[in-house]
Structures are given as structure tokens and as C-alpha cells.
Amino acid sequence: MANKDLKSTTDRRRFIGSIASGAAAMGLATLTPSLNLHAEEKNNSSNNPDDPELVFKNLKGKHRIVFDVTKPNGLMPFAWPRVFIMTNMATGTPEKDNNVVVVLRHDGIPYAFEDKIWSKYNFGEMFEVHDAEKKPVSRNPFWKPAEGTYKVPGIGVVKIGINELQDSGVQFVVCNAAMTVYSAVAAEKMKMKSEDVYNEWKSALLPGITPVPSGVWAVGRAQEYKCAYCYAG
């Protein structure tokens, strides 16, 4: 592992460790309301619908699934939704009768943002998203990829860009709690105000991606609305 990658991993572990130590010192009962209030305030200032469950209430398809994306995992968070749709179509269910929700949470949240945020905040290094040469990427590789970018042996070109999946009815949601935490980490590192960084990230969410109170909240709600669960990274 390169020194830079090692430092990034160490910094993130140190930060997570500091949260755990703080929780132990104050007690979870003290820490939890504070975090919930902070996330709720941020969420209410976003462009979310008044009802954060609206994405799930609108699921009417015959076959429903939620893909849980907790970290970058190559093509998988985007290939599997396409495979789900394709194979259901092959077995008699029209595309419109399939519901897919992709939950971007924890280290999986960078895929929810425009390229300008990737480059400014060095998301490739922060979230360990690398290209074929193991270098951190500087743009969102799954937003409007060039035609033919992604191919699967035996299948050929597959349309797994976020925009292409959205055209097939796939819903993407992103964890507001993770946005709050990671934007604060980035702000501290760059000596900026956490509120300013959070608001910048929020304004740079890709079209059609819905912030939800937390990723685990979304995974739970999806299953309450009859979505099968699949871990995707």
C-alpha cells in the first residue's frame, strides 16, 4: 500500500475511533439525540419531499429489490441492478413492473455527486475509488459514461451508468447522516466551515438522487415495502 493510501486509511480509522471514544465518554444516550438533531436539521433544509418515505410508497412493481452500497465495489453496485432488470424481463416481467432501489451509504456516498465535488474534495483518495492503474479517480465514473464504456464478457456492452439505470426506473437514495459526517471531515481537513461544505455537497447531488435520513433507515424502509435485500458493496 502506498504511503498516501496508508495515510488516508489511517486518518479515517482515527476519525472513526474518535467518534467511538467520544460516545463511550458521553454515553450513547447523550450522543444519539445530538447526532439525530443535526441530521434532521440538514435534511429539512434539502429539497427532499416532505415525506422521506415517498420513494418507497411509490413502489408498485411485481418484483422489488434494494441494493445496499456501503463502499465502492467496482461495477457491482451498478451491474447488479441491470442484471436484476434484464433477467426479470427475460423471464416474463416487463421492465416497468420491476422496482429497484439503490442505497448509497457510508463509503458508498461519493457516487451520488457531480464531478466537480469529486475533483475538489479528492473523492478518489478519500473513498478509495481507483482506476485500472490503481490511481484515485477524479470524476464520478458512473455518471453519464461514454457509450460502450462498460462491457461484460459473454454479454457485451451494458448500460450501467446511473443516468441509464434511472432511465430504466432505478431509484437512487443517499445517506444524509453520512453526508453530514464526511462533509465535516472534509471541512476540517481543508479548514473550511462544515456547514458550507455540507451545503455545497447537497447542491451537487446528481439529478434524481434523493437524500434520506440515513442509509440504514432506507434499507429498513425498503424491506418494509416488500423489497428483497441484496448487499452490493
Side-chain angles (χ1 to χ4, degrees), residues 80-101:
W80 284 339
R82 178 61 68 192
V83 169
F84 179 81
I85 293 171
M86 289 173 58
T87 50
N88 271 300
M89 291 175 64
T91 52
T93 305
E95 182 176 87
K96 64 182 179 62
D97 289 336
N98 295 289
N99 289 147
V100 179
V101 179

Side-chain angles (χ1 to χ4, degrees), residues 128-155:
E128 299 184 2
V129 184
H130 301 109
D131 60 19
E133 298 178 352
K134 306 300 182 183
K135 296 179 180 179
V137 301
S138 59
R139 61 176 298 274
N140 190 332
F142 293 98
W143 178 243
K144 295 187 176 180
E147 183 71 26
T149 296
Y150 298 110
K151 300 178 181 179
V152 176
I155 296 177

Side-chain angles (χ1 to χ4, degrees), residues 136-187:
V137 301
S138 59
R139 61 176 298 274
N140 190 332
F142 293 98
W143 178 243
K144 295 187 176 180
E147 183 71 26
T149 296
Y150 298 110
K151 300 178 181 179
V152 176
I155 296 177
V157 174
V158 289
K159 294 182 179 295
I160 59 173
I162 291 171
N163 54 301
E164 295 169 323
L165 291 169
Q166 288 174 329
D167 288 344
S168 293
V170 176
Q171 302 262 7
F172 288 84
V173 301
V174 62
C175 174
N176 185 67
M179 285 172 55
T180 301
V181 171
Y182 278 111
S183 61
V185 172

Side-chain angles (χ1 to χ4, degrees), residues 36-48:
N36 287 346
L37 177 61
H38 186 49
E40 182 179 357
E41 288 173 348
K42 300 285 190 178
N43 192 57
N44 288 343
S45 67
S46 73
N47 293 323
N48 270 3

Side-chain angles (χ1 to χ4, degrees), residues 192-215:
M192 299 170 66
K193 292 182 179 179
S194 60
E195 182 177 354
D196 291 344
V197 175
Y198 173 88
N199 288 331
E200 184 180 7
W201 287 21
K202 181 184 68 176
S203 68
L205 285 172
L206 296 175
I209 293 189
T210 303
V212 290
S214 73

